[in-house]
Amino acid sequence: MNYDEFLNPKIVDVKPSGIRKFFSIAEEMDDVISLGVGEPDFLTPWHIRQKGIASLDDGATRYTANAGLKELRNEISAFYERRHSVKYNPDSEIVVTVGGSEGIDMCIRTLVCPGDEVLVVEPSFVCYKPIVEVCGGKAVPLVTKAENNFRLQADDLEKAITPKTKLLVLPYPNNPTGAVMRKEDLQAVADVVIKHNILVLSDEIYSELTFGSQEHVSIASINGMQERTVVINGFSKTYSMTGWRLGYALGPAPIIKQMTKLHQYAIMSAPTTSQYAAIEALQNGDEDIVKMKWEYDTRRRYTVNAFREIGLDCFEPEGAFYAFPCIKSTGLSSEEFCERLIVSKHVAVVPGNAFGDCGEGYIRVSYCYSIDNIKEAVRRIGEFVRELKEESENNGECNGN
């Protein structure tokens, strides 16, 4: 039977995730240290788990409202007002989703029509471009550079906008670079967005994981931007709740209404148990955020310094839990570096080009693993880099002879 006659060619043309490729290789090998997947190594805090368990004991096993439990939407509204100075109406401007990923998918499918152009900041997470293309839109990369701290430059945004541009995907704090946008950067971007009357999808899943004296600033808090921004966030990274699969979208009521309708037909409602646990997280989880953030910061500083000590230039991330060291000095492509590293040293990291062509020459390293694993992994990577240097020197001597 020829299944090609039945399959949607837009789905067939989508490339598999470059992140999962090396994760799958690692699963088939022994003694592999994986720094490839962005999953916190912390257990979900016990008081949050308790609430989930209690909801089951209480028999709360039915569907919730399509948009999510009213109490949870109230808490999400209060959380964003308290931490990011933006107020959303829980009745019309919030929908609870199955992870932030569903929120991203629903937002793009709700807004993007065939022929629309969507500007995607790169390097960035792998899902935006494929979803745009499945919708018949065109994903246009907006390249960010280390010399600009991987922040989107308003001038670059201005140059990329055409009459077909409808949406800007703004993923900060950024995966894979760890870059953040400061308020002044967002203001400059907002000026361009308002001038050209386009919308913004602001992926803020790492909003609570910023380091240094300045906290995360949501572009929705910039004057004139709440009405043209859909914010995506969730519980996976902030509260170490990846397996609970719970996120949310915040935005203008007319957009959220259509996203909720799509969610209604595709999903029905997010997991009930997870929603009760999330209420507890928002009400009593601020101290958990502080503790995990402190630990991530310790790992962040160690990881960046360790890469610099082994001779790999490494941008200092200011958010999320990733480092993005440059491996151009080794002479290998990102794919070659990662493939040879996992085979010879049993360390799994992700090639930078998995996050856009401009990520070539970099690797993404997640430091959301234990410090002992990070230390051993970096030790092996240092050994690998030294061996590459010796190999290059020996080849040079042979060529010289």
Side-chain angles (χ1 to χ4, degrees):
M1 186 169 181
N2 182 11
Y3 289 100
D4 290 340
E5 297 176 0
F6 298 90
L7 295 173
N8 183 339
K10 289 187 179 297
I11 302 295
V12 173
D13 290 342
V14 171
K15 295 180 181 178
S17 168
I19 299 174
R20 287 291 166 179
K21 172 183 176 181
F22 287 88
F23 182 70
S24 298
I25 294 173
E27 285 187 319
E28 301 298 319
M29 300 175 66
D30 295 326
D31 189 33
V32 171
I33 299 177
S34 175
L35 303 183
V37 179
E39 181 166 30
D41 68 327
F42 300 105
L43 291 175
T44 303
W46 174 239
H47 67 101
I48 298 174
R49 283 182 279 153
Q50 276 185 312
K51 285 295 182 180
I53 294 168
S55 74
L56 293 173
D57 285 341
D58 292 341
T61 58
R62 297 181 180 276
Y63 296 128
T64 69
N66 294 136
L69 289 167
K70 178 64 181 298
E71 185 181 359
L72 176 55
R73 284 180 279 135
N74 286 339
E75 291 297 337
I76 291 169
S77 176
F79 179 85
Y80 248 76
E81 184 175 14
R82 173 166 54 90
R83 295 187 74 95
H84 303 300
S85 303
V86 192
K87 184 170 178 57
Y88 289 93
N89 186 333
D91 294 324
S92 60
E93 296 179 323
I94 300 174
V95 57
V96 180
T97 62
V98 181
S101 298
E102 191 213 349
I104 294 167
D105 178 57
M106 288 197 309
C107 177
I108 293 174
R109 285 201 285 159
T110 296
L111 297 175
V112 176
C113 302
D116 287 341
E117 291 182 356
V118 178
L119 304 178
V120 180
V121 172
E122 290 187 354
S124 64
F125 188 54
V126 297
C127 75
Y128 313 118
K129 181 179 178 181
I131 298 171
V132 169
E133 291 176 344
V134 167
C135 292
K138 179 182 179 183
V140 179
L142 282 175
V143 175
T144 60
K145 300 176 182 178
E147 53 262 37
N148 295 321
N149 295 316
F150 289 109
R151 295 173 185 168
L152 174 61
Q153 305 297 295
D155 289 345
D156 293 335
L157 172 61
E158 179 83 50
K159 292 173 186 175
I161 292 175
T162 75
K164 294 182 178 180
T165 304
K166 178 180 280 187
L167 180 67
L168 165 67
V169 177
L170 194 68
Y172 288 95
N174 183 266
N175 170 12
T177 64
V180 302
M181 294 282 280
R182 300 302 185 195
K183 187 172 183 178
E184 58 270 22
D185 303 314
L186 292 171
Q187 182 63 65
V189 167
D191 291 342
V192 176
V193 166
I194 293 170
K195 173 184 174 183
H196 291 279
N197 192 33
I198 62 176
L199 300 176
V200 174
L201 187 168
S202 183
D203 185 350
E204 302 182 14
I205 195 70
Y206 296 99
S207 63
E208 307 314 305
L209 299 178
T210 59
F211 308 105
S213 59
Q214 297 189 46
E215 298 292 335
H216 170 74
V217 177
S218 173
I219 194 169
S221 70
I222 303 294
N223 189 40
M225 286 304 299
Q226 186 173 358
E227 67 188 43
R228 60 178 66 248
T229 301
V230 176
V231 173
I232 304 297
N233 210 322
F235 298 85
S236 293
K237 316 299 182 178
T238 302
Y239 302 102
S240 194
M241 293 177 66
T242 52
W244 298 78
R245 305 313 304 133
L246 202 69
Y248 52 90
L250 314 167
I255 296 176
I256 295 299
K257 179 180 180 180
Q258 300 308 316
M259 288 176 61
T260 304
K261 184 167 62 178
L262 182 59
H263 172 76
Q264 179 186 67
Y265 284 117
I267 301 294
M268 181 63 75
S269 61
T272 302
T273 306
S274 300
Q275 293 189 55
Y276 281 105
I279 292 169
E280 170 66 18
L282 292 171
Q283 290 178 339
N284 300 303
D286 284 4
E287 188 175 328
D288 301 309
I289 297 174
V290 172
K291 289 178 180 177
M292 287 188 277
K293 183 175 170 179
W294 182 89
E295 181 61 32
Y296 288 136
D297 192 23
T298 301
R299 299 174 189 182
R300 175 183 72 100
R301 287 182 277 111
Y302 176 85
T303 302
V304 171
N305 291 335
F307 275 111
R308 290 173 178 172
E309 287 176 3
I310 63 178
L312 297 180
D313 185 35
C314 189
F315 166 75
E316 184 166 347
E318 297 178 292
F321 39 55
Y322 307 102
F324 204 56
C326 179
I327 51 91
K328 294 177 183 178
S329 61
T330 67
L332 300 180
S333 70
S334 295
E335 290 272 351
E336 291 170 332
F337 186 97
C338 293
E339 288 173 359
R340 289 183 60 175
L341 176 65
I342 195 170
V343 170
S344 65
K345 300 300 177 183
H346 289 200
V347 175
V349 296
V350 182
N353 62 348
F355 307 94
D357 292 341
C358 60
E360 179 55 57
Y362 294 84
I363 57 173
R364 190 194 76 171
V365 176
S366 174
Y367 54 82
C368 61
Y369 299 90
S370 73
I371 192 68
D372 289 338
N373 274 0
I374 293 170
K375 286 181 178 180
E376 176 59 18
V378 174
R379 185 194 69 77
R380 295 184 193 183
I381 294 171
E383 192 175 76
F384 177 66
V385 170
R386 287 191 296 273
E387 290 173 3
L388 288 176
K389 185 177 180 181
E390 291 172 1
E391 179 183 304
S392 176
E393 290 173 350
N394 290 336
N395 288 339
E397 290 175 3
C398 291
N399 293 334
N401 290 337

